[in-house]
Amino acid sequence: MTEQHEQHSHQFELGTDGPKVIVVGVDGSDSSMRAAAYAGGLARRQRALLAVVYVQPVLAAGAALGAPVAETTDEIAEDLIAQIREAADRVKGIFDVRWEFHTFRGDPFTGLVKAADDLRADAVVVGASEQAGHRIIGSVAVRLVKAGRWPVTVVP
């Protein structure tokens, strides 16, 4: 193995023995909640930190029409935190998972990239897209895979 190859491999995997930080994107959809459950199991087995990330959409058009967009997305974030806490409490004492909840604003792809970079993620887990339009413009999952910066797991 050449020195250059060794250096490149160390740039890709930030952890030294499996992932230390696993980022999972949640938005309240069924597939994102399945992704959170999968990532939680992975984090438990690897003794990694589970960073649950909700990207609050910035809807300029909605704001221009007077819609309370920020309040709505804050309510979604609070609901997601409550659901995650409830799930964590159900398995407390059986499975121990270290987790944090983070919110970012923007489009889901950019928000998850920022989260993964800021949190120095070793892996990213997302749910498969449930929207038909993504077949044309590409899903968040496909765009994350194409970015090629972390291993990405897509949960159906």
Side-chain angles (χ1 to χ4, degrees):
M1 184 184 314
T2 66
E3 186 176 335
Q4 182 180 15
H5 180 71
E6 279 184 38
Q7 184 180 12
H8 179 69
S9 66
H10 289 288
Q11 290 174 341
F12 183 75
E13 183 178 352
L14 297 175
T16 56
D17 189 23
K20 297 298 178 201
V21 177
I22 300 169
V23 167
V24 61
V26 296
D27 61 7
S29 67
D30 288 342
S31 68
S32 79
M33 298 312 274
R34 285 190 298 270
Y38 177 87
L42 183 61
R44 177 185 56 82
R45 289 185 298 279
Q46 297 290 330
R47 292 186 175 93
L49 172 67
L50 177 64
V52 181
V53 175
Y54 169 60
V55 181
Q56 296 182 348
V58 177
L59 304 173
L65 297 173
V69 175
E71 288 176 21
T72 302
T73 59
D74 287 344
E75 288 173 14
I76 292 169
E78 290 171 18
D79 183 53
L80 289 170
I81 292 170
Q83 288 180 48
I84 293 162
R85 278 199 180 112
E86 182 182 312
D89 286 344
R90 281 195 305 264
V91 297
K92 196 171 194 164
I94 301 169
F95 300 119
D96 290 321
V97 178
R98 292 180 305 123
W99 64 277
E100 301 174 347
F101 187 86
H102 300 269
T103 60
F104 290 81
R105 293 194 184 270
D107 71 274
F109 171 74
T110 304
L112 286 172
V113 167
K114 180 165 178 37
D117 284 346
D118 289 359
L119 299 169
R120 296 186 47 85
D122 295 298
V124 177
V125 179
V126 292
S129 174
E130 296 178 350
Q131 297 180 7
H134 287 164
R135 290 187 185 109
I136 299 166
I137 60 171
S139 69
V140 172
V142 169
R143 293 171 64 195
L144 287 168
V145 170
K146 286 182 177 180
R149 292 162 65 180
W150 327 265
V152 177
T153 302
V154 183
V155 178

